[in-house]
Amino acid sequence: GMAKLDKDSNLIWKYDNRVHHDFDVAPISGTITTLIHEVVTSSENLYNSDSRRMTLDSLVVLSAQGEELKRVSIPDALANSSYSLLLNHYQKNLAAWDRFHTNSVDVLSADLAGKFPQFPEGSVLISLRNLNALAVIDLEKRQVIWAYNGLWRAQHSAHYLDNGNILLFDNKGHAVGKRIFSRLIEINPSTLAVNWSYTGSRENPFYTDFYGRVQRLENGNSLVVESLSSRLFE
């Protein structure tokens, strides 16, 4: 679930649902955009599963008081778009019941909207780990309006940047010989060009199979969480 506490840890409000992974808080209104999932049987959904049960992710918008304002199904937003083939790209070596595993949320704010003229203000950038994909959802249309996969694997922590690029933590996309490591990637969503990447050095690469996070700081540096190695570096 999700809860808001005061400075003395008293409960202000709570939202009882299967909230997971990430949330975004609007700086002025306090509106919260987060992720939930519901568990359904294979006969209750349109996304053929190899499992008798599976989770279906949704984006949820809450008011600053914790009241649900909107809910958008991520599978439906994909299915009703020109990117619907991504529904077939899940990693079959992972649990079939968790086909999407959406793990990050970033809302295009008013101050960044001019840097991304291809997306309307309020569009939500999400990371779909088990599809190896990033996607942008227009909440008004309830539709994916941009998506891409192929350059990264099992990624986390996708963010809009103030230079018009997208930054993400690529967990398994950097190969050195037969070994797999992690890297950071900054891409242009219009051209799909990789404008910047960081892999560490050959002597000191970094790697985390799961989790991982990156944040672009005001001074232009990147703060990195290498989760499974219990390491934080800039």
Side-chain angles (χ1 to χ4, degrees), residues 42-201:
S42 56
S43 61
E44 293 173 328
N45 71 81
L46 302 176
Y47 313 102
N48 296 327
S49 173
D50 301 324
S51 175
R52 293 176 62 186
R53 291 163 63 83
M54 70 179 294
T55 61
L56 296 182
D57 287 337
S58 293
L59 281 168
V60 168
V61 180
L62 306 177
S63 71
Q65 292 73 44
E67 300 167 339
E68 185 174 318
L69 303 176
K70 180 173 292 189
R71 182 182 302 196
V72 176
S73 163
I74 292 173
D76 288 352
L78 267 171
N80 298 328
S81 76
S82 57
Y83 301 95
S84 59
L85 287 178
L86 278 177
L87 290 167
N88 300 320
H89 288 182
Y90 69 102
Q91 301 180 61
K92 296 184 179 180
N93 59 314
L94 298 173
W97 54 267
D98 189 17
R99 180 172 293 195
F100 305 98
H101 198 96
T102 314
N103 59 25
S104 75
V105 173
D106 196 25
V107 178
L108 185 59
S109 58
D111 61 326
L112 286 184
K115 304 292 185 178
F116 295 87
Q118 66 273 53
F119 306 140
E121 180 183 333
S123 296
V124 184
L125 172 65
I126 60 173
S127 164
L128 299 154
R129 178 188 184 274
N130 288 359
L131 297 182
N132 295 318
L134 302 184
V136 173
I137 294 181
D138 184 327
L139 293 182
E140 298 304 314
K141 294 182 178 179
R142 298 176 175 268
Q143 185 180 63
V144 169
I145 56 175
W146 177 91
Y148 192 68
N149 73 342
L151 289 177
W152 43 77
R153 288 183 60 79
Q155 76 290 330
H156 287 73
S157 192
H159 302 285
Y160 295 111
L161 296 179
D162 60 10
N163 61 5
N165 291 335
I166 289 172
L167 177 68
L168 67 144
F169 189 107
D170 180 6
N171 289 67
K172 300 181 180 182
H174 176 51
V176 179
K178 294 183 179 180
R179 299 187 63 187
I180 299 298
F181 296 101
S182 301
R183 61 179 175 170
L184 312 177
I185 300 181
E186 186 177 322
I187 67 160
N188 182 313
S190 295
T191 66
L192 303 178
V194 176
N195 289 354
W196 177 84
S197 67
Y198 177 79
T199 61
S201 65

Side-chain angles (χ1 to χ4, degrees), residues 25-43:
V25 182
I28 297 176
S29 68
T31 299
I32 302 161
T33 304
T34 189
L35 295 161
I36 65 169
H37 65 223
E38 59 178 324
V39 180
V40 299
T41 65
S42 56
S43 61

